[in-house]
Amino acid sequence: MNNDYVMKDRYKEIDYRWYRNGKSNKIIVSGSGSGPTRKLTINSILENALEKYNLSMIHFDIQNGDFIQTVGKMSEKFHDIIELSKTEGYGIDKIGIMGTSLSGLPAMIASSEYKNMNLFLNSPMIYMQEMADKYLNTFHRYYWRVRRTIKKDGRKAHYSTYSTWRDTELAEIFERLKKKSNKIHILHGDGDDEILLDYSLRFQESMEENSVKSDLTILEGVAHNLHKNYLISDFTSNLLCDFFLSK
């Protein structure tokens, strides 16, 4: 994509990168994952696909500096960037949402507030509290609660990020989604050792049980991070763009 169309900026304290395509009438609002590599989510292959398919994208930082926020605060960021897209002339029916890893559940919550808003989830972290319980022992959870904040791999998180994760129950979100007929596609690598494929399999099964339609694409041998294992390849870029152009 021509560098003239790639713009970095900040909106309501949200850092974002806008991939502008002058021919596009649709835009993807994309939340990053977390950690020090989160700004590597978009690469030249996806940029070229956006240009090829006449799509624009706003990719924003789901963290607040070094801090990971609560799921509610992260979903508010999606709403804010959707509002920013609207100021540039994109109607709600021309906006799609992409959630990656930590931004998966916030993206899903945000999309459930709109009609016919396609949602693409890459290796979504839906069951964060369960994952924390699995990987953190009793002492570390107690330490987190007492100290209020923990730090790991360039990330900081208040205890409220963990303790309030399930305040928004999935059943409630499913109920909104099935009334709005939003299309959902999940992408997950079977080599992901950070958020296991089993979580997405269980998540999709839960959606089906609640009459929410979704599709799941499994990539063989692919790990978690978007910039590794060519996850954002020609295949995945085309899959992503085709999904957002479909209705």
Side-chain angles (χ1 to χ4, degrees):
M1 182 173 286
N2 190 316
N3 286 332
D4 292 340
Y5 295 105
V6 181
M7 178 186 72
K8 292 181 181 179
D9 210 336
R10 192 171 174 84
Y11 179 74
K12 291 188 176 180
E13 299 186 353
I14 304 170
D15 292 319
Y16 69 85
R17 186 187 291 261
W18 193 316
Y19 298 83
R20 293 177 179 271
N21 187 334
K23 298 178 182 178
S24 73
N25 66 354
K26 291 188 178 181
I27 190 166
I28 304 167
V29 171
S30 167
S32 73
S34 65
T37 63
R38 63 191 186 277
K39 295 181 180 178
L40 299 176
T41 299
I42 311 301
N43 67 5
S44 59
I45 296 174
L46 180 54
E47 287 183 28
N48 291 335
L50 292 171
E51 189 168 28
K52 170 186 171 184
Y53 284 85
N54 292 333
L55 285 166
S56 291
M57 174 180 280
I58 300 181
H59 182 70
F60 68 91
D61 191 352
I62 202 67
Q63 291 187 194
N64 185 13
D66 292 336
F67 274 94
I68 295 172
Q69 298 174 296
T70 63
V71 66
K73 291 290 186 183
M74 288 188 282
S75 63
E76 285 177 12
K77 283 192 171 187
F78 276 98
H79 289 299
D80 287 339
I81 299 299
I82 287 170
E83 290 302 313
L84 175 61
S85 302
K86 288 167 64 178
T87 66
E88 293 291 321
Y90 292 97
I92 287 296
D93 62 330
K94 303 298 183 182
I95 301 172
I97 294 184
M98 177 178 173
T100 295
S101 189
L102 184 72
S103 69
L105 182 58
M108 184 180 175
I109 293 171
S111 73
S112 71
E113 300 292 340
Y114 304 94
K115 289 184 179 180
N116 300 319
M117 183 169 283
N118 289 0
L119 170 66
F120 193 96
L121 298 172
N122 174 65
S123 307
M125 184 183 288
I126 304 298
Y127 306 105
M128 188 275 281
Q129 193 176 73
E130 181 179 325
M131 289 176 59
D133 289 343
K134 179 180 179 180
Y135 293 112
L136 296 176
N137 59 35
T138 302
F139 170 77
H140 285 103
R141 290 199 302 272
Y142 173 77
Y143 175 86
W144 192 2
R145 179 168 60 84
V146 171
R147 293 296 300 270
R148 301 292 183 186
T149 301
I150 58 170
K151 303 177 183 178
K152 185 180 180 183
D153 300 331
R155 290 167 283 190
K156 301 176 185 177
H158 293 298
Y159 185 70
S160 57
T161 300
Y162 164 82
S163 64
T164 65
W165 188 263
R166 289 182 176 169
D167 278 358
T168 305
E169 295 293 338
L170 287 177
E172 178 186 333
I173 304 170
F174 292 155
E175 192 63 29
R176 293 200 299 268
L177 284 171
K178 69 183 180 182
K179 291 178 180 178
K180 293 180 168 64
S181 302
N182 294 16
K183 292 180 63 177
I184 301 172
H185 197 112
I186 307 167
L187 181 70
H188 211 127
D190 65 3
D192 191 336
D193 58 2
E194 294 185 41
I195 301 176
L196 302 180
L197 172 61
D198 286 347
Y199 283 111
S200 281
L201 292 170
R202 178 159 49 121
F203 176 47
Q204 188 188 36
E205 182 180 352
S206 182
M207 283 193 285
E208 289 178 355
E209 290 172 353
N210 285 273
S211 302
V212 177
K213 295 180 180 180
S214 65
D215 294 307
L216 171 63
T217 296
I218 300 172
L219 301 177
E220 294 184 6
V222 172
H224 182 68
N225 290 327
L226 282 169
H227 62 287
K228 291 181 180 178
N229 299 91
Y230 303 102
L231 184 52
I232 287 296
S233 62
D234 286 329
F235 169 78
T236 53
S237 294
N238 292 336
L239 175 71
L240 173 70
C241 293
D242 280 334
F243 172 72
F244 280 112
L245 287 172
S246 66
K247 278 293 183 183

